[in-house]
């Protein structure tokens, strides 16, 4: 990678240039973000996975820019207009807008007014006027009257068209206007269509809205732009056309010289035309896109953090689980699962109105609890969730068996997906949905990777933001979560395996096929026998895969096979077997990490090995905690201002957090009600699925909205 790009990325991300350069080299070698951040800390200076992912993003961006530069240079060269100075300016560009500004005068374009004027032979006149070498433009224009140019005014108008286009394509002019527009306000006005549509009422806040573009919150801007796309708002930037034109005229005079009075009139007219017809629409659009990109990044960051917290939700582990997808008229769908999430049994009970088969349902549930030795019960949080939870409390359960309320977000998407059909080809969507609810209690990460993150209910305007950027962020987030936890090589689904560093869908399928044919893996080294899993893929994935109960206990840890010899050396120096070091804090405390540093493995790696040996295969996720909603709340009518309630955070946005208090409608804790000074970042105050205490501020029965305050 070129040094200009390395320096730019280092400055942007506030890291050292050598860190960026090393990461770029590792990417070129085929290394993945999780592998680099976990096993190449000496190369990165200990950069976090998010920082490595950012560097990867920018290396990809600049790789595309290099291709774009090549195309631009080839095009300009083909026109015979490529000078050494222009080539150097293009090659030194790191900002896309600057690159496109340099290319703009040479870019193929559709027929314009300037094109027609040039075809009429008016370019020499425009050139003289532009270079301020024509003090009397009217007299000069007489020379250009022809069968294509009927009059002096036509000649001057054509020359102005050429000048206007030339000015609009001048890089310095465009950047000056960008700087001005960035200081202005976004203005939105209601349209006639909005006044005639009831759907527009949700955008009422923005019917007459104005805010500096640099200060507008991301969710406000995204809402405004969505409303504009739906035809309910007209959006603009309130730049002063007269002041902009004066600034352009002043800069023109500074670059050339002050023209005569007659020429000044023509230049002023050309500049005003350039601004109103060509520059204002273009620059306004650019700045709004620039602001939207910033809003997209902020919104996607919130989504990514929420997704990370969701995926790393506490699992209850390998317990026999009864999963319940609650409902009224259609009954409660029940799926009984074994320790590994395998479906043992399913049926439907009808404990609620209109059937009210409570006794029959209690007998059925009791029988299933006993027959399938159920250790935990998962209840979906959708329709009839509270009623089903209360019904299950009346059922006698095995000792230690708790009822857990689980988010249903995405369960219906999964149940109708190709993934679900492959897993349960003989079951209908209701059974698949119940299974998903149960499995996400046992291991949220393993189950949620099967569902499109956008369907998990933790985003903010996810359908309005840049979809390629969103996909990149979410894919990175899922990959980081999967690799931070580690994956059991002998039980993981192909969907979970596909997110392990260096594997992907094709190799995941090969691993599962090999596992099916050979009865599982006895060691990490056996991975090398999997078809098409070569040395590079093994290097990238091995440290994140766990083999439980194998001959080498290190295969169940995060110690990479490439570093096993270090553990062997430690054990030899202590006169014990390597297996005796695993989990032995007393022995590990005797090890001097610096003795095992060499040219390939530095102190960060050796210290990581020691931490892993102390607690091998430690799951970074917290322990699951049961939760109890208030018994006094079953509908919106039960709420009143001042009421104190327990709740679970279900979504975090830039403007606040949504909390489930046991009703179909979630309440909102606005950022101003989080008990901190100023408008804090909600993600710094709360975490997804956090258990909180809230105070009811206001209940809007008509709009079904609940305003809450966070209690300490």
């Amino acid at each position: 990678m070129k040094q200009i790009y390395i320096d730019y990325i280092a400055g942007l991300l506030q890291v050292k240039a050598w860190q960026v350069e090393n990461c770029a080299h590792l990417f070129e070698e085929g290394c993945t973000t999780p592998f680099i951040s976990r096993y190449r800390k000496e190369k990165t200076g200990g950069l976090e996975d998010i920082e490595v992912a950012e560097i990867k993003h920018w290396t990809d961006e600049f790789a595309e820019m290099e291709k774009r530069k090549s195309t631009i240079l080839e095009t300009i060269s083909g026109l015979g207009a490529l000078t050494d100075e222009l080539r150097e300016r293009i090659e030194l560009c790191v900002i896309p807008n600057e690159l496109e500004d340099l290319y703009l005068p040479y870019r193929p374009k559709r027929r314009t007014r300037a094109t027609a004027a040039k075809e009429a032979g008016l370019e020499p006149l425009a050139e003289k006027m532009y270079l301020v070498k024509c003090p009397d433009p009217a007299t000069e224009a007489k020379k250009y009257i022809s069968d294509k140019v009927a009059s002096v005014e036509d000649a001057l108008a054509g020359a102005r068209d050429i000048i206007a286009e030339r000015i609009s394509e001048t890089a310095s002019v465009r950047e000056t206007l960008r700087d001005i527009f960035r200081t202005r306000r976004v203005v939105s006005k209601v349209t006639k269509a909005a006044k005639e549509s009831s759907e527009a009422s949700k955008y009422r806040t923005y019917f007459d809205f104005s805010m500096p573009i640099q200060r507008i919150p991301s969710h406000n801007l995204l809402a405004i732009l969505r409303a504009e796309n739906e035809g309910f708002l007209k959006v603009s930037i309130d730049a002063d056309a007269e002041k902009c034109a004066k600034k352009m005229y002043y800069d023109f005079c500074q670059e050339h010289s002050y023209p005569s009075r007659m020429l000044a009139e023509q230049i002023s007219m050309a500049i005003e035309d350039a601004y109103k017809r060509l520059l204002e629409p273009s620059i306004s659009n650019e700045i709004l896109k620039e602001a939207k990109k910033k809003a997209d990044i902020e919104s996607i960051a919130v989504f990514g953090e929420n997704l990370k917290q969701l995926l790393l939700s506490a699992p209850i582990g390998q317990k026999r689980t009864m999963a319940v997808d609650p409902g009224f008229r259609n009954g409660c769908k029940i799926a009984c699962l074994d320790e590994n999430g395998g479906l043992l049994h399913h049926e439907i009970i009808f404990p609620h109105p209109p059937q009210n088969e409570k006794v029959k349902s209690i007998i059925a549930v009791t029988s299933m609890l006993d027959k399938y030795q159920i250790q935990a019960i998962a209840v979906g949080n959708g329709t009839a969730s509270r009623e089903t939870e209360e019904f299950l409390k009346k059922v006698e359960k095995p000792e230690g068996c708790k009822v857990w309320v689980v988010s249903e977000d995405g369960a219906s998407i999964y149940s109708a997906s190709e993934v679900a059909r492959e897993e349960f080809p003989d079951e209908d969507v209701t059974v698949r949905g119940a299974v998903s609810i149960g499995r996400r209690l046992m291991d949220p990460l393993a189950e949620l990777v099967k569902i499109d993150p956008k369907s998990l209910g933790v985003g903010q305007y996810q359908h309005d933001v840049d979809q390629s950027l969103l996909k990149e962020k979410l894919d990175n987030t899922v990959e980081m979560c999967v690799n931070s936890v580690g994956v059991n090589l002998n039980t993981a689904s192909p969907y979970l395996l596909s997110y392990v560093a260096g594997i992907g869908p094709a190799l995941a399928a090969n691993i599962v096929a090999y596992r099916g044919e050979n009865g599982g893996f006895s060691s990490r080294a056996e991975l090398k026998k999997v078809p098409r899993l070569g040395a590079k893929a093994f290097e990238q994935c091995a440290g994140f895969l766990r083999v439980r109960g194998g001959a080498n206990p290190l295969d169940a840890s995060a110690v990479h096979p490439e570093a096993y010899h270090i553990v062997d050396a430690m054990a030899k120096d202590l006169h014990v077997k390597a297996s005796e070091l695993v989990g032995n804090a007393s022995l590990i405390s005797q090890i001097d990490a610096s003795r095992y540093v060499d040219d390939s493995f530095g102190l960060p790696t050796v210290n990581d090995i020691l931490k892993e040996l102390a607690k091998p295969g430690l799951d970074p996720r917290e322990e699951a905690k049961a939760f109890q909603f208030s018994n006094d709340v079953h509908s919106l009518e039960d709420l009143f201002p001042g009421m104190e309630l327990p709740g679970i955070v279900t979504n975090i946005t830039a403007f606040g957090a949504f909390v489930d208090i046991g009703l179909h409608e979630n309440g909102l804790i606005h950022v101003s009600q989080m008990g901190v000074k100023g408008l804090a970042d909600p993600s710094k105050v709360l975490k997804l699925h956090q258990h909180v205490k809230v105070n009811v501020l206001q209940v809007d029965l008509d709009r079904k909205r609940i305003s809450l305050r966070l209690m300490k």
Side-chain angles (χ1 to χ4, degrees):
M1 173 175 282
K2 291 182 177 178
Q3 193 63 42
I4 54 168
Y5 300 142
I6 292 171
D7 292 340
Y8 180 84
I9 297 171
L12 184 69
L13 304 183
Q14 295 296 291
V15 297
K16 304 295 185 183
W18 64 265
Q19 293 175 297
V20 176
E21 187 172 11
N22 285 349
C23 283
H25 286 319
L26 289 167
F27 292 136
E28 289 170 3
E29 293 171 6
C31 294
T32 61
T33 295
F35 176 81
I36 293 170
S37 60
R38 178 67 176 81
Y39 296 111
R40 292 295 181 265
K41 290 183 178 178
E42 291 81 9
K43 295 278 189 180
T44 70
L47 292 177
E48 297 292 331
D49 48 13
I50 293 176
E51 295 171 302
V52 176
E54 279 289 298
I55 293 173
K56 179 67 166 66
H57 168 80
W58 285 105
T59 57
D60 290 344
E61 287 283 304
F62 285 127
E64 289 301 311
M65 180 177 278
E66 273 298 290
K67 294 178 184 177
R68 179 64 175 158
K69 286 181 179 181
S70 178
T71 300
I72 289 173
L73 289 169
E74 186 178 337
T75 301
I76 299 175
S77 180
L79 296 172
L82 185 61
T83 64
D84 291 341
E85 180 188 0
L86 181 56
R87 177 187 291 277
E88 184 179 14
R89 291 181 68 190
I90 289 172
E91 289 179 344
L92 291 177
C93 268
V94 292
I95 307 296
N97 278 345
E98 293 178 3
L99 178 62
E100 295 304 322
D101 282 351
L102 292 174
Y103 180 45
L104 189 57
Y106 311 99
R107 188 172 65 191
K109 57 177 74 73
R110 65 175 185 270
R111 183 179 174 81
T112 64
R113 282 163 47 174
T115 307
K118 289 176 183 178
E119 291 173 352
L122 295 172
E123 192 164 16
L125 173 61
E127 183 72 8
K128 287 182 179 180
M129 292 168 64
Y130 183 81
L131 296 176
V132 194
K133 294 181 178 179
C134 182
D136 186 354
T139 300
E140 184 68 21
K142 291 178 182 178
K143 302 175 183 178
Y144 295 88
I145 294 175
S146 66
D147 56 339
K148 295 181 179 180
V149 182
S151 65
V152 167
E153 184 47 47
D154 287 346
L156 292 174
R160 291 197 302 270
D161 287 339
I162 295 171
I163 293 170
E165 185 170 275
R166 184 167 179 176
I167 289 171
S168 74
E169 293 177 347
T170 301
S172 59
V173 171
R174 299 182 70 86
E175 193 52 46
T176 295
L177 288 179
R178 286 192 193 103
D179 288 342
I180 292 172
F181 274 55
R182 288 183 184 116
T183 66
R184 304 306 301 165
R185 304 172 76 88
V186 173
V187 177
S188 61
K189 298 289 185 182
V190 65
T191 63
K192 182 180 179 182
K195 294 176 181 177
E196 298 171 353
S197 172
S198 59
E199 293 181 14
S201 61
K202 58 188 174 184
Y203 301 117
R204 190 179 297 116
T205 304
Y206 308 111
F207 281 4
D208 188 14
F209 180 87
S210 175
M211 184 176 285
I213 198 164
Q214 296 286 21
R215 286 176 43 207
I216 186 168
S218 60
H219 61 279
N220 289 140
L221 181 62
L222 292 172
I224 287 169
L225 295 177
R226 177 193 285 182
E228 182 186 37
N229 288 335
E230 293 175 4
F232 299 141
L233 293 177
K234 181 177 175 61
V235 181
S236 61
I237 297 178
D238 70 342
D240 188 310
E242 184 177 349
K243 288 183 179 179
C244 287
K246 284 182 177 179
K247 171 63 175 169
M248 291 167 63
Y249 181 76
Y250 174 80
D251 289 347
F252 177 89
C253 294
Q254 290 296 108
E255 182 180 348
H256 300 87
S257 62
Y258 281 87
S260 65
R261 182 182 59 79
M262 291 182 288
L263 180 56
E265 182 181 356
Q266 296 295 322
I267 296 297
S268 293
M269 290 171 65
I271 286 174
E272 288 175 10
D273 178 49
Y275 177 81
K276 292 179 181 178
R277 180 168 59 89
L278 302 172
L279 285 165
E280 194 278 334
S282 174
I283 301 300
S284 180
N285 188 48
E286 274 188 33
I287 299 305
L288 281 172
K289 281 185 176 180
E290 186 180 277
K292 182 182 181 297
K293 185 172 183 179
K294 180 183 175 184
D296 285 354
I297 291 170
E298 291 177 4
S299 183
I300 289 169
V302 170
F303 196 167
E305 181 59 29
N306 284 351
L307 178 62
K308 176 183 176 182
Q309 293 175 26
L310 182 64
L311 294 176
L312 295 180
S313 296
I316 65 162
Q318 292 183 302
K319 292 185 178 182
R320 289 188 161 235
T321 300
M322 174 182 285
V324 186
D325 185 357
F328 288 116
R329 182 175 299 277
N330 295 321
C332 299
K333 279 70 70 177
I334 295 181
C336 296
L337 311 176
D338 65 20
E339 297 88 339
N340 296 315
L343 179 62
L344 299 172
H345 171 77
H346 65 83
E347 65 179 87
I348 301 177
I349 61 173
F350 298 89
H352 310 309
Q355 292 90 340
N356 277 320
E357 298 176 352
K358 284 188 168 30
V359 174
K360 184 178 179 181
S361 297
I362 289 173
I363 293 171
V365 171
T366 303
S367 174
M368 285 184 276
L369 289 171
D370 180 59
K371 182 176 181 179
Y372 299 106
Q373 299 178 325
I374 298 301
Q375 299 168 288
I377 301 174
V379 180
N381 69 342
T383 303
S385 175
R386 289 295 304 282
E387 293 79 1
T388 303
E389 183 187 7
E390 290 179 7
F391 160 75
L392 289 168
K393 287 177 183 176
K394 299 172 183 176
V395 178
E396 187 175 347
K397 295 175 283 295
E399 185 177 351
C401 181
K402 296 179 181 178
V403 178
W404 306 77
V405 177
V406 179
S407 170
E408 289 184 11
D409 286 329
S412 60
I413 300 294
Y414 162 79
S415 63
S417 69
E418 185 63 33
V419 173
R421 286 193 290 272
E422 288 178 6
E423 288 193 294
F424 301 103
D426 300 323
E427 308 296 348
D428 65 23
V429 293
T430 61
V431 176
R432 297 171 191 159
V435 170
S436 182
I437 290 170
R439 285 178 170 178
R440 60 177 67 185
L441 173 65
M442 297 168 71
D443 190 343
L445 179 61
E447 188 62 19
L448 295 177
V449 294
K450 303 172 186 175
I451 303 169
D452 182 349
K454 288 187 287 186
S455 301
L456 293 176
V458 293
Q460 177 187 350
Y461 294 99
Q462 60 262 40
H463 300 293
D464 298 303
V465 300
D466 184 318
Q467 294 301 295
S468 62
L469 200 61
L470 176 63
K471 184 178 186 305
E472 177 187 329
K473 177 65 174 180
L474 299 186
D475 285 348
N476 284 341
T477 300
V478 176
E479 184 180 49
M480 290 173 193
C481 290
V482 169
N483 289 285
S484 69
V485 172
V487 171
N488 188 322
L489 183 56
N490 284 321
T491 61
S493 70
Y495 318 105
L496 188 59
L497 284 168
S498 68
Y499 283 103
V500 174
I503 291 183
L507 280 181
N510 289 354
I511 289 171
V512 172
Y514 179 92
R515 196 170 68 193
E517 294 171 5
N518 298 277
F521 293 85
S522 59
S523 69
R524 281 170 168 167
E526 195 179 346
L527 271 169
K528 297 176 182 178
K529 297 180 181 179
V530 173
R532 306 187 69 81
L533 199 154
K536 194 66 184 181
F538 179 81
E539 174 195 60
Q540 298 299 301
C541 74
F544 304 108
L545 296 169
R546 311 281 183 264
V547 179
R548 313 288 185 193
N552 189 342
L554 294 179
D555 282 348
S557 74
V559 177
H560 197 284
E562 68 183 8
Y564 283 3
H565 69 280
I566 295 177
V567 180
D568 291 336
M570 292 173 176
K572 183 178 179 181
D573 290 345
L574 290 172
H575 307 293
V576 298
K577 295 179 180 179
S579 59
E580 294 178 59
L581 285 179
V582 178
N584 193 324
S586 176
L587 285 175
I588 293 167
S589 66
Q590 300 175 38
I591 297 172
D592 178 4
S594 62
R595 290 186 57 191
Y596 303 96
V597 172
D598 59 25
D599 292 340
S600 299
F601 300 94
L603 197 58
T605 294
V606 178
N607 282 330
D608 278 350
I609 291 171
L610 292 177
K611 289 177 185 176
E612 184 61 23
L613 288 174
K615 295 182 178 180
L618 178 67
D619 193 324
R621 296 173 290 185
E622 296 178 353
E623 284 189 22
K625 297 178 182 177
F627 178 83
Q628 176 67 51
F629 288 115
S630 171
N631 292 324
D632 299 328
V633 174
H634 297 87
S635 68
L636 282 174
E637 287 75 12
D638 294 331
L639 299 176
F640 57 84
M643 195 176 201
E644 296 180 3
L645 298 168
I648 300 175
V649 178
T650 59
N651 194 12
I652 298 173
T653 71
F655 54 83
F658 290 92
V659 177
D660 183 358
I661 55 174
L663 301 178
H664 184 68
E665 298 81 10
N666 284 346
L668 172 66
I669 306 175
H670 188 266
V671 64
S672 62
Q673 299 298 330
M674 290 190 174
V676 292
K677 293 182 179 180
L679 295 180
D681 178 354
S683 67
K684 298 289 192 298
V685 181
L686 295 169
K687 299 297 180 185
L688 208 64
H689 290 180
Q690 181 176 336
H691 297 177
V692 295
K693 284 280 188 181
V694 295
N695 184 276
V696 178
L697 291 178
Q698 185 179 4
V699 182
D700 186 334
L701 294 176
D702 293 333
R703 301 170 74 186
K704 295 184 177 181
R705 291 186 177 180
I706 309 164
S707 298
L708 305 171
R709 178 192 293 120
L710 180 65
M711 298 177 64
K712 295 299 183 183

